């Protein structure tokens, strides 16, 4: 994990890859629980038999929004900004899902700092690009531009 000691140091890292998270295996149980909580039980995610027969992936796949929702988990492994009270998820500017995440695939996040904006005394908004890679695949599962507020 990269430790960033304050907003000045964070500003100096614009354009830099902040780091790479650990690999995470996406299990069917995780996919099923996400389907339950989001009320999205589409067969391609939760019906292993049908997915084996009809899906172009040959198995179930994770929801794109499940993959996106892993970004905070990956970010906590990549970098910590010290000297702030809290970090707040401010939003997402752009999200794409170029590749599916098959059941039992391993994924990880790669974070690059794109921009920073100083706000009122001691606060900052910063934009990162997160690429969610799939082990053994050339195309990423997700590319998202996230915005975080530090106060």
């Amino acid at each position: 994990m990269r430790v960033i000691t304050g907003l000045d140091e964070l500003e100096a890292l614009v354009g830099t890859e902040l780091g790479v998270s650990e690999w995470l295996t996406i299990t069917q149980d995780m996919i099923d629980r996400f389907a339950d909580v989001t009320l999205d039980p589409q067969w391609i995610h939760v019906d292993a038999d049908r997915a084996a027969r009809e899906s172009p992936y040959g198995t179930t796949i994770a929801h794109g929004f499940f993959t996106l929702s892993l970004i905070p988990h990956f970010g906590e492994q990549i970098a910590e900004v010290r000297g702030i009270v809290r970090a707040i998820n401010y939003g997402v500017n752009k999200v794409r899902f170029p590749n599916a995440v098959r059941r039992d695939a391993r994924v990880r996040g790669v974070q690059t700092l794109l921009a920073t904006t100083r706000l009122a005394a001691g606060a900052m908004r910063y934009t990162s690009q997160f690429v969610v890679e799939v082990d053994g695949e050339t195309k990423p599962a997700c590319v998202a531009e996230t915005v975080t507020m530090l106060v």
Side-chain angles (χ1 to χ4, degrees), residues 9-55:
E9 184 176 333
L10 184 63
E11 273 183 324
L13 293 170
V14 169
T16 302
E17 181 181 292
L18 297 181
V20 180
S21 75
E22 297 293 322
W23 289 106
L24 174 68
T25 301
I26 304 302
T27 65
Q28 187 62 49
D29 181 59
M30 294 165 77
I31 295 168
D32 291 345
R33 287 186 288 142
F34 188 85
D36 287 344
V37 77
T38 59
L39 307 175
D40 184 4
Q42 185 182 21
W43 67 266
I44 200 163
H45 305 301
V46 299
D47 188 336
D49 292 335
R50 185 173 177 189
R53 288 190 318 271
E54 299 179 31
S55 166

Side-chain angles (χ1 to χ4, degrees), residues 60-119:
T60 56
I61 60 171
H63 303 70
F65 286 115
F66 174 38
T67 305
L68 177 67
S69 75
L70 294 172
I71 287 176
H73 169 73
F74 295 142
E76 286 180 357
Q77 296 178 23
I78 293 170
E80 174 188 353
V81 181
R82 294 198 176 148
I84 62 163
V85 175
R86 65 186 165 277
I88 301 165
N89 177 4
Y90 192 72
V92 181
N93 290 337
K94 182 178 177 182
V95 179
R96 296 293 181 265
F97 302 109
N99 198 0
V101 176
R102 290 169 177 82
R103 178 188 70 221
D104 297 325
R106 294 186 334 145
V107 295
R108 70 178 179 186
V110 180
Q111 181 181 11
T112 301
L113 182 62
L114 299 178
T116 61
T117 303
R118 290 281 184 147
L119 305 170

